[in-house]
Amino acid sequence: MRAIDHHAWTNRWRDWHPVEKGLPAIGLLTLTLILPPLTTAPLVLAGVMLTTVYGAGIPWKTLLSVLAAPATFLLAGIPFLAISIDFTSGFALTFSPEGFQLALQTMIRALAAMSCLAFLILTMPLTDGVLLLRRMGVPAGIIELILLIYRLIFVFAERALTGRQAQAGRLGYSRLDRSVRSLGLLGGNLFQRALEQARRLEMGLMARGYTGELRVLTPRWKLSWMRLAVGVAGVSLTGLASSWLARGLL
Amino acid sequence: MNEPLLAVRDLEYVYPGGVAALRGLDLRIEQGRKLAILGSNGSGKTTLLLHLNGLCKPTRGEIRLEGQPVSYDHRALNDWRRRVGLILQEPDDQLFAATVSQDVSFGPLNLGLSNADARERVREALEALRILHLADRATHTLSFGQKKRVAIAGVLAMRPEILVLDEPTAGLDSHGVTHLLGALEQLHEAGATLVFSTHDVELAYAWADDVAVFHDGVVLRQGETVAMLSDRELLRRARLRCPLLLEVAEALGVEVSAASPFRSREALLVLLQERCAGQG
């Protein structure tokens, strides 16, 4: 998570308007979901991965590790689509060609869709992404909540880490039963500290005139019509190429 | 005697559990001075500071802002907190926004400023603390010292008349302390009244105009720094030590007063060199 966050804040396209990144990514995601997967998904996957690495400057290693987690789930789950279980005459496992095709389609489509999301989370800090949500009409209260949680996750993650290290230093994780006990204590302790933290944060905010609303300035981006046009053109081209391929192949 | 900017009289605060944190305390905050509230850990300094901008309401006693007794209704509190800015010891208790400039903009927007004016205040505050380059950074990627400065900027952006800091140097390395005190000194020269709590007699001696010696919920004495810190009996009662520089000065027979304070290590080195040259 630290790595994702780090790249989101420091990548080459960090200063771009969120819409310039969000619109093409969501456009490609939509194409992936509505067009035939076998022709569209590989194009989207390759296009998005190359853009992420050579455009935004995210290292291959980071991108692949982000995609690896969902890919593992896919690999574990997908084969079962290619196998059908038959209970009519006892119990039989049979391999079905249609099932195999379905498995392949699902796999490639899911990966392509994941790559679009990976592109977004690797090139856009959560705070920018939230702006897109605001544009889409999500209520201010929910947005405040998301942003506060984002900020506090890092505060508590640090506490949790130091707490764990302190416990480990006193052999709290030397045996399985002790580990379970230590982890429970740590959790309880963090919960208490979270409440305490909330109280003190409220004091700190009250000292700055907090009256129930967390209003802050939103950054000023300049929308580049040029970049947006390139993005939209890329999506359209992918769509056209995919349809053309589909007519040729199928 | 002039009316102080903020005056605290006979302040008492009893925690909901019945433990008294402050027991009839007097404090004067004079315009344009640097006041150190000096006391050992756990003596109730933080509780006292929370009273200075109305975050805690005293059980008994009176606080006057420019001679007027403060009131705790909503509008009066807002005005009070704008004029008296409080910076907590732990910056994570104060920073809530995801980026630096967003966090600093919180106070100005609460004052009802327009976006353009708030933006200007943010720039001004970040510049005053020499952290303009951090404006677009994510809050959680900052070092402790940087967070501390952002927390101060967040309060400074509201242009308070009095800046109250709880243990401003706690947790900072010597470079961080120098940097922070430099920035605060500049604010002071620009006219800000500074109040800070500390347990560090050396810091109070080196930097404060006045010291209020605080112990066990009361201010034992408040006055000019050298006079307070050379009073051995007073320090003993507050369980504090005499600052090293002052002890050395006494041992060497140097007259120290508010007029010739002998406050820096440079002054000490010059003196020692003179003495050694005289012997040799």
Side-chain angles (χ1 to χ4, degrees):
Chain A
M1 197 181 108
R2 286 256 166 196
I4 296 175
D5 194 64
H6 169 78
H7 287 295
W9 281 99
T10 55
N11 71 82
R12 231 178 271 157
W13 292 353
R14 160 78 185 87
D15 296 329
W16 287 21
H17 194 294
V19 169
E20 292 166 16
K21 293 175 274 192
L23 197 69
I26 291 167
L28 286 177
L29 184 63
T30 316
L31 288 186
T32 313
L33 296 178
I34 57 174
L35 292 179
L38 284 184
T39 53
T40 316
L43 278 180
V44 170
L45 187 60
V48 170
M49 282 172 75
L50 290 172
T51 312
T52 311
V53 173
Y54 295 107
I58 308 293
W60 277 111
K61 204 175 145 232
T62 312
L63 175 62
L64 292 177
S65 66
V66 168
L67 288 176
T72 320
F73 277 107
L74 284 173
L75 283 176
I78 288 292
F80 291 100
L81 282 176
I83 294 165
S84 51
I85 303 172
D86 191 1
F87 288 108
T88 44
S89 52
F91 177 79
L93 284 178
T94 50
F95 175 83
S96 77
E98 303 89 66
F100 178 72
Q101 175 123 17
L102 184 66
L104 201 65
Q105 283 179 358
T106 311
M107 172 101 194
I108 188 82
R109 179 176 265 169
L111 266 181
M114 268 312 300
S115 74
C116 295
L117 294 180
F119 166 78
L120 275 188
I121 62 169
L122 282 168
T123 59
M124 197 191 306
L126 181 117
T127 48
D128 297 7
V130 160
L131 184 91
L132 287 181
L133 292 180
R134 190 173 293 165
R135 288 270 161 91
M136 283 151 67
V138 175
I142 294 181
I143 287 179
E144 278 176 11
L145 204 59
I146 295 176
L147 289 175
L148 256 184
I149 291 171
Y150 175 69
R151 164 86 184 94
L152 291 177
I153 278 177
F154 291 97
V155 174
F156 292 129
E158 211 170 291
R159 299 255 160 94
L161 191 70
T162 43
R164 219 200 97 98
Q165 283 165 346
Q167 287 180 324
R170 287 179 289 155
L171 306 183
Y173 293 91
S174 54
R175 263 187 1 218
L176 186 66
D177 57 336
R178 283 187 198 133
S179 302
V180 172
R181 198 180 123 75
S182 298
L183 208 61
L185 284 173
L186 184 64
N189 178 268
L190 274 181
F191 183 68
Q192 265 179 342
R193 291 177 83 163
L195 287 177
E196 182 60 27
Q197 169 91 26
R199 258 194 296 272
R200 282 184 308 185
L201 186 61
E202 194 174 13
M203 281 241 171
L205 294 182
M206 265 166 28
R208 291 199 281 158
Y210 173 66
T211 49
E213 197 193 0
L214 293 173
R215 235 154 43 91
V216 295
L217 284 176
T218 44
R220 276 182 303 186
W221 286 286
K222 268 208 348 236
L223 187 67
S224 151
W225 291 104
M226 180 66 180
R227 290 198 288 251
L228 192 63
V230 170
V232 172
V235 176
S236 315
L237 271 177
T238 312
L240 284 174
S242 154
S243 318
W244 177 75
L245 275 175
R247 221 175 316 147
L249 286 178
L250 306 174
Chain B
M1 203 175 104
N2 279 353
E3 184 75 45
L5 195 49
L6 192 75
V8 174
R9 276 202 48 218
D10 196 26
L11 194 72
E12 183 193 83
Y13 181 73
V14 180
Y15 278 114
V19 181
L22 307 175
R23 5 175 145 235
L25 164 157
D26 293 337
L27 187 75
R28 297 182 313 279
I29 296 172
E30 313 274 357
Q31 166 92 49
R33 306 277 287 179
K34 287 180 292 195
L35 170 68
I37 296 173
L38 182 63
S40 46
N41 285 342
S43 55
K45 297 190 294 284
T46 301
T47 312
L48 169 59
L49 298 192
L50 292 177
H51 281 85
L52 297 183
N53 74 345
L55 283 171
C56 271
K57 200 172 168 178
T59 336
R60 196 190 69 211
E62 187 185 52
I63 299 176
R64 284 170 178 263
L65 190 56
E66 279 186 326
Q68 297 296 316
V70 294
S71 100
Y72 288 81
D73 70 68
H74 185 71
R75 278 198 37 210
L77 269 181
N78 277 348
D79 185 55
W80 186 5
R81 286 174 188 163
R82 181 190 63 73
R83 300 180 64 185
V84 181
L86 171 68
I87 293 130
L88 303 177
Q89 181 179 346
E90 176 57 57
D92 275 335
D93 290 347
Q94 199 164 329
L95 305 177
F96 74 98
T99 74
V100 170
S101 58
Q102 284 184 356
D103 199 278
V104 178
S105 74
F106 178 70
L109 287 176
N110 284 334
L111 295 178
L113 295 178
S114 72
N115 281 1
D117 288 344
R119 226 175 272 284
E120 183 49 35
R121 289 281 187 101
V122 171
R123 204 189 55 78
E124 173 192 294
L126 292 178
E127 215 161 46
L129 287 151
R130 288 174 265 169
I131 47 171
L132 199 54
H133 58 285
L134 299 179
D136 292 322
R137 282 273 295 276
T139 318
H140 65 264
T141 59
L142 303 177
S143 73
F144 182 80
Q146 289 171 329
K147 278 185 188 168
K148 201 116 184 174
R149 263 169 270 157
V150 173
I152 297 175
V155 170
L156 197 62
M158 299 172 80
R159 293 200 190 142
E161 293 157 42
I162 307 178
L163 212 53
V164 180
L165 303 109
D166 193 6
E167 295 275 359
T169 58
L172 292 177
D173 58 23
S174 62
H175 175 75
V177 171
T178 311
H179 197 130
L180 184 73
L181 292 185
L184 289 175
E185 188 60 47
Q186 259 184 358
L187 294 176
H188 179 245
E189 278 160 20
T193 302
L194 299 179
V195 179
F196 63 102
S197 72
T198 184
H199 63 272
D200 182 352
V201 286
E202 312 293 339
L203 174 70
Y205 180 65
W207 205 55
D209 298 323
D210 300 309
V211 170
V213 179
F214 184 87
H215 181 65
D216 202 18
V218 290
V219 171
L220 297 177
R221 248 179 97 194
Q222 175 179 1
E224 193 279 320
T225 300
V226 174
M228 292 302 106
L229 294 182
S230 40
D231 183 340
R232 295 300 167 86
E233 177 55 25
L234 177 67
L235 293 178
R236 197 189 52 74
R237 277 173 62 202
R239 297 193 192 151
L240 295 166
R241 282 192 66 174
C242 181
L244 181 63
L245 273 176
L246 207 51
E247 268 182 341
V248 172
E250 273 178 22
L252 294 175
V254 180
E255 193 69 31
V256 180
S257 68
S260 64
F262 188 65
R263 277 189 172 170
S264 63
R265 62 164 75 199
E266 286 74 23
L268 173 65
L269 289 176
V270 169
L271 182 74
L272 288 177
Q273 272 161 356
E274 280 171 10
R275 290 288 165 96
C276 292
Q279 277 179 358

